[in-house]
Amino acid sequence: GTELRETKGPPRFTVKIDENLSSSNVKIDEQRIGQHRMTFLISGNGKALANSQLIQDKAYFEVKVTKPGNIGIGVSKNTKNHLNEGVGQDQESWGVLFTGRDGPSIYKVAQGTVIGCLFDQSDVPAMISFTKDDRPIDGAKVSGMKGSVVPAISVSGGAEIEVIFDSQLLEYNPP
């Protein structure tokens, strides 16, 4: 008989949170969705970097808050130098801190909040901007990145998040 088989194409490159580029105090759980899709559940303390340099003009990823705490979102040089510091708290990463209701940041999040991170190097200077539940966040823009960078997140204070790189799994369309 004839049966349908899934065609085997070249293996897809999957952008991942890279355990080798993450603090040993960060817990990373890959959530597989079907054969090729995944998201990443992140908790603990420290920084976690993705395995892919941002070479395209624009890149977008989302962070869904499972449990509020201190959540840094942005980009970093591809280095292990500052993995125990928050994103944007050292000379080799750039980003914004989001916190729960009582946290130190002016940018507040709650359980279920979706933060979009848009990295745009189509113009000079390169810029990171953010959305909260699909609305632009006024004032939350970061520039000053030089050289190659990768997506970066950091967690502390009990924060738990889900990081989504796969365009098919995003909650919102990129801005």
Side-chain angles (χ1 to χ4, degrees):
T2 340
E3 53 196 45
L4 291 175
R5 287 210 176 104
E6 192 173 288
T7 56
K8 292 267 190 240
R12 282 180 38 164
F13 178 78
T14 305
V15 179
K16 297 181 175 199
I17 294 291
D18 191 337
E19 289 188 4
N20 298 318
L21 290 170
S22 300
S23 165
S24 58
N25 299 317
V26 170
K27 183 170 188 280
I28 303 166
D29 282 325
E30 291 185 359
Q31 298 293 109
R32 292 201 160 270
I33 296 158
Q35 189 177 353
H36 294 298
R37 307 206 178 285
M38 62 179 67
T39 66
F40 303 88
L41 302 181
I42 312 289
S43 59
N45 287 287
K47 193 183 295 168
L49 308 182
N51 64 346
S52 176
Q53 288 187 12
L54 296 170
I55 52 177
Q56 62 274 54
D57 283 350
K58 294 184 179 184
Y60 176 81
F61 65 97
E62 288 179 345
V63 173
K64 188 182 286 186
V65 179
T66 311
K67 203 167 148 206
N70 301 319
I71 303 163
I73 305 172
V75 298
S76 173
K77 290 208 171 290
N78 195 351
T79 171
K80 295 182 177 189
N81 292 349
H82 304 280
L83 292 179
N84 292 317
E85 297 174 56
V87 171
Q89 307 297 307
D90 57 73
Q91 312 78 25
E92 296 184 300
S93 69
W94 299 265
V96 167
L97 176 67
F98 297 87
T99 58
R101 195 183 50 201
D102 302 326
S105 174
I106 60 169
Y107 304 110
K108 304 297 185 196
V109 294
Q111 181 175 349
T113 300
V114 176
I115 301 295
C117 178
L118 177 68
F119 176 72
D120 184 352
Q121 58 186 359
S122 64
D123 202 0
V124 178
M127 182 80 63
I128 311 170
S129 59
F130 298 89
T131 58
K132 177 179 175 179
D133 296 327
D134 208 23
R135 288 187 295 283
I137 303 173
D138 289 338
K141 288 187 180 342
V142 180
S143 61
M145 297 73 75
K146 299 221 182 324
S148 300
V149 293
V150 298
I153 57 93
S154 58
V155 289
S156 65
E160 295 178 12
I161 59 175
E162 181 179 17
V163 181
I164 304 144
F165 297 115
D166 190 315
S167 61
Q168 302 297 310
L169 301 176
L170 295 171
E171 195 90 10
Y172 301 107
N173 289 319

